[in-house]
Structures are given as structure tokens and as C-alpha cells.
Amino acid sequence: MPEVPTVELDAQYRQLHEECGLVDRGYRGKILVTGPDAAEYLQGQLTNEVEALAEDEGCYAALLDRKGHLQSDMRVLRLSNGIWLDLEPAPAPSVLSHLRTYSIGREVEIDDVTEAWSILALIGPRAAEIAGLEGLGPEHAQRHRSWEGIDVLGVATTLGLDLIARAEDASRLRDLALAAGAVEVGEDAAEIVRIESGTPRFGAEMSAETMPAEAGIVDSAVSFTKGCYIGQEPVARLHYKGRPNRRLRGLELSAPVDPGAELRLGDRSVGSIGSSCLSPARGPIALAIVRREAEPGAELTVGEAGVTARVVDLPFG
């Protein structure tokens, strides 16, 4: 990842909220699924509707185990030549292995294309203008453009858009975006924006012990009208007949804390900090999946340092 110039975090934060910040997301895992059975195969593996996606459409989805726990979340894009998945790097090898194992007997090819492609995220209200992709939406919508001879796929996101291009073009594409008005920012600044929006991240709030309902991603990642997929029964049972024992919540902190710090309601442990940051607009805040008795308005104690946390609904107001 290119070195980000030293800029005050507050300035980077303002850039993301008011203009356009550029973040290199090339580290994400990338999988390309091709062949006549690609859509049908993924329909039976992932939580969301894949077969109904038209070219240049996409969705958010997850791969679960048979008990309904997350193996990974991911973005799914329907391309002209197959179906693209991109996801956090840590679970990518196991997801790749799973998809290859269960594809036996299908006309499908599953390729790890992580090193071949780059992702540059443009975050902020001027993202589409700077990328020359005005009007791109809704989320996951795609549009191709040639930018000074570089073939770029723009993908709409909730915070701006992503530019996907060949890895060998990443540096020049970055320079073009910067010349057009983007300012390079670090992941620390982008994490503040993510936490403020209440978006969970696999490896932080979400893990292999988490169900979609606990992470608050059911509405965006799960279809209840499609056919069967791995982990469907426990997810549907929880959705229709119960409510999760744990929920993703926001925390307003009395002081900054590190991820992993224990959260207690009275004498009872109710969870631990997932992600935390010092927001220039809201002070110290965090995301955590906590037991349902830790409802909005509850006051929790954090770790052993005397820090307190007020539970709030998401996104942060």
C-alpha cells in the first residue's frame, strides 16, 4: 500500500465528510467465479439473491456454516464474464477453499484474482464527480469508463464509490484521482467514518461465532425468498420465531479504549469492544455486539480502567 502523506487526522476526517478521500483497498481478497453454473452454484452457497442479479448489479452477502455462523461477509458483483466476490483478507483463503470443495461436479471455475486487481475507494460527497461517474447508484451498481486509457470499473458504495482496475494500473489511476481532486487518507480516518455509520467489519465486530442477526446485517445480506443455502435453517428460525440474544450497538465512551476490552452491565459480562476510535465530531465511540439486556440508554463499565460506555442505537446521531 502506498505511503499516505502525513496529514492531521482531523483534516483527513473533514476530507472524507466534505470532499473526497482516497483509500487503497487493494488488500481485500478477490475471487472470480465463472462458468455456466456460476450463478446457480453461488445461489446455493451465499445468503443473498445471486441468480436474479443482472449484469452491472450486485449485492452484499455472506457465507455461513451449517449452524448459521459467519464464515465471511462479502460484496458480490455480476460482471459480463462472471461473478466477482471481494472480502476481508483474513477469511479469503478459507472461503476460496470452501467454494472450490463444494463446486465438484459443477461447470464452474473459481479463481483467486487478488493479486491481479486493485481497489481504490473514493469516500465523500465529491467521489462520483472526481471519478467522472456522476449518477452511479444504487449501492453495488457498476459502470465502466476509460480514464486516460485505463479500463476502470466504478462500483457505488454507501460512502462513495470504488474504482476497480488491473493491479498494474493502480498507481497511475491513483495519480489521476489525486490530480482530479481526491486527497489520500489513511485507514484510521476511514475507520472513523465506518464506525460512525454503524457498519460492522469481519474480524472486528463479526467473527466465526456471529450470526447475521447479531451483526445487524440481515436486511442487507440475507434473502428469505430464495432457495436453500448453507446455514439457512438456523437463520430463518431466528428471524421468524425469536430474537437474537446479542445485538450490534454503538457505544459512547467516557474515554478512549482498545478493541477487545470487556463490557459489563452491573456484575454481568455482556460483550467486548469490537472497533473503537476517537471521532473528531463525537469523541470516543465504539461498536460492539452485546447481550440484548444492554439496551440503548444502558450504562456499561469498560475493562478495568473505570471507563464507562452509554449504549446507543446505530448509526451514531
Side-chain angles (χ1 to χ4, degrees):
M1 183 181 301
E3 183 179 351
V4 177
T6 302
V7 179
E8 289 292 335
L9 188 61
D10 284 8
Q12 295 182 38
Y13 175 84
R14 288 195 301 274
Q15 186 71 25
L16 292 167
H17 274 281
E18 299 171 7
E19 296 285 338
C20 177
L22 181 149
V23 185
D24 190 336
R25 295 274 167 79
Y27 60 80
R28 284 180 66 81
K30 309 170 194 77
I31 298 170
L32 186 63
V33 184
T34 58
D37 295 342
E40 179 188 6
Y41 172 59
L42 291 175
Q43 183 82 350
Q45 298 294 314
L46 306 182
T47 56
N48 216 340
E49 181 66 59
V50 177
E51 279 191 301
L53 293 175
E55 186 178 332
D56 295 333
E57 292 182 340
C59 68
Y60 178 54
L63 178 68
L64 307 179
D65 65 18
R66 298 198 177 276
K67 294 183 178 180
H69 295 116
L70 289 161
Q71 295 191 55
S72 179
D73 64 337
M74 65 195 69
R75 174 169 57 182
V76 182
L77 303 177
R78 189 72 179 258
L79 309 178
S80 60
N81 63 332
I83 299 175
W84 162 288
L85 314 175
D86 68 81
L87 60 159
E88 291 290 334
S94 62
V95 170
L96 184 67
S97 176
H98 171 103
L99 292 177
R100 284 174 170 168
T101 297
Y102 287 90
S103 68
I104 295 174
R106 305 249 186 187
E107 288 189 71
V108 62
E109 293 185 8
I110 299 159
D111 296 311
D112 181 356
V113 296
T114 299
E115 299 301 321
W117 294 92
S118 66
I119 302 175
L120 297 178
L122 297 182
I123 301 171
R126 293 191 60 213
E129 172 199 344
I130 284 172
L133 293 165
E134 292 92 338
L136 183 60
E139 185 182 7
H140 309 300
Q142 304 149 50
R143 189 190 307 161
H144 285 271
R145 70 159 296 195
S146 178
W147 194 349
E148 298 291 335
I150 300 173
D151 184 21
V152 179
L153 177 65
V155 183
T157 69
T158 57
L159 300 173
L161 54 86
D162 285 353
L163 303 177
I164 299 176
R166 289 282 183 183
E168 59 265 28
D169 293 325
S171 180
R172 192 155 67 92
L173 180 60
R174 167 179 165 268
D175 291 342
L176 289 170
L178 296 178
V183 172
E184 195 161 17
V185 302
E187 277 288 355
D188 287 350
E191 275 290 276
I192 295 173
V193 175
R194 177 186 71 83
I195 292 168
E196 288 179 340
S197 72
T199 303
R201 186 173 186 173
F202 195 88
E205 292 72 44
M206 300 186 291
S207 72
E209 302 300 319
T210 309
M211 296 186 73
E214 295 173 330
I217 63 171
V218 166
D219 289 347
S220 56
V222 178
S223 169
F224 291 101
T225 58
K226 60 177 278 183
C228 295
Y229 59 86
I230 295 172
Q232 179 190 34
E233 290 187 7
V235 168
R237 186 165 58 247
L238 181 59
H239 181 72
Y240 289 114
K241 296 184 178 179
R243 58 178 182 151
N245 288 325
R246 305 186 302 157
R247 292 287 303 274
L248 179 71
R249 298 294 189 191
L251 301 173
E252 295 176 341
L253 304 166
S254 63
V257 297
D258 292 328
E262 184 184 24
L263 296 166
R264 300 188 69 84
L265 178 61
D267 294 331
R268 185 171 188 181
S269 177
V270 293
S272 60
I273 298 288
S275 302
S276 64
C277 69
L278 183 59
S279 164
R282 296 175 174 82
I285 57 174
L287 296 177
I289 292 179
V290 296
R291 292 192 58 83
R292 66 185 182 194
E293 55 263 35
E295 297 179 343
E299 294 287 337
L300 310 180
T301 56
V302 186
E304 304 294 333
V307 177
T308 60
R310 181 174 178 270
V311 182
V312 298
D313 283 321
L314 293 169
F316 287 91

